[in-house]
Amino acid sequence: MIGKLKGTLDEIAEDHVVVDVHGVGYVAYCGARTLASLGGVGEAVVLFIETYVREDMLRLYGFASENERGWFRLLQNVQGVGAKVALAVLGTLSTGDLANAVALQDKAMVARAPGVGPKVAARIVAELRDKAPAMSGAADAESFALKRGLGDGVAPGPIADAVSALVNLGYPRDQAASTVAIAVKEAGDDAASATLIRLALKALSR
């Protein structure tokens, strides 16, 4: 099994790259975000690889980080999500955006990915609800829990009010939730909504 490729970028195509590793060219299929993050032909490249072996196929999928590869694996635990759909989701959303969408139960954000309909998007955010926190990292666990409370409609009143106020000012809900989560860390869990709004707006203005 191949877990990582480190070599020279030999070719960039619409949905894959060829990585030259000591004279051997490996074809790795990548999402749009990963492809956009790579340098030009001839430059050094490192890809984290998920190897698929079937009776009639051996295919490598390449990712810019281990975390992205982890989400690729996790997504395929959802009914109706195969490698193609998982790659489309990760090609449209960053891992942070995907974590936010799951926490906030924002199926519309996931449905932005090509080939992902409302039903599949709904299953993704619902079925990954309890699995996604581990993918967010310990540093983001508190923020994820806050956003999940918002998604489930059980967040404390001041937090929900602060997020709602930012959304009414035109900020996207995921950005509002992330910023309020930062404000809560600074002001404490018992902070009033006015305090959270003020700190959040200050952070957004930086």
Side-chain angles (χ1 to χ4, degrees), residues 22-202:
H22 302 303
V24 179
Y26 293 88
V27 177
Y29 290 84
C30 305
R33 295 182 66 88
T34 296
L35 290 171
S37 71
L38 301 177
V41 171
E43 295 187 20
V45 64
V46 176
L47 287 176
F48 294 90
I49 299 297
E50 182 72 1
T51 305
Y52 270 47
V53 180
R54 300 290 186 270
E55 290 184 3
D56 59 345
M57 178 186 74
L58 190 156
R59 177 168 288 194
L60 307 181
Y61 293 94
F63 305 93
S65 68
E66 289 186 272
N67 185 252
E68 188 179 15
R69 182 177 62 185
W71 274 103
F72 179 73
R73 294 170 176 169
L74 188 61
L75 281 163
Q76 291 175 81
N77 291 326
V78 177
Q79 180 186 357
V81 176
K84 183 177 180 180
V85 170
L87 207 62
V89 171
L90 292 169
T92 304
L93 303 176
S94 69
T95 55
D97 288 338
L98 181 54
N100 280 340
V102 172
L104 294 167
Q105 294 294 284
D106 189 348
K107 60 184 180 183
M109 180 181 288
V110 178
R112 287 165 42 195
V116 179
K119 289 184 179 179
V120 172
R123 283 202 297 270
I124 288 173
V125 299
E127 294 184 27
L128 298 188
R129 177 182 177 277
D130 295 324
K131 300 176 182 178
M135 300 298 298
S136 301
D140 294 328
E142 186 176 341
S143 174
F144 188 94
L146 182 150
K147 293 168 188 173
R148 189 163 69 177
L150 288 166
D152 293 343
V154 295
I159 292 175
D161 290 344
V163 172
S164 178
L166 293 179
V167 170
N168 289 337
L169 288 172
Y171 292 100
R173 190 163 183 254
D174 60 323
Q175 183 182 19
S178 296
T179 310
V180 170
I182 294 171
V184 170
K185 288 183 180 180
E186 182 176 346
D189 294 334
D190 298 327
S193 58
T195 300
L196 296 177
I197 293 168
R198 176 175 56 80
L199 291 173
L201 288 172
K202 182 179 178 181

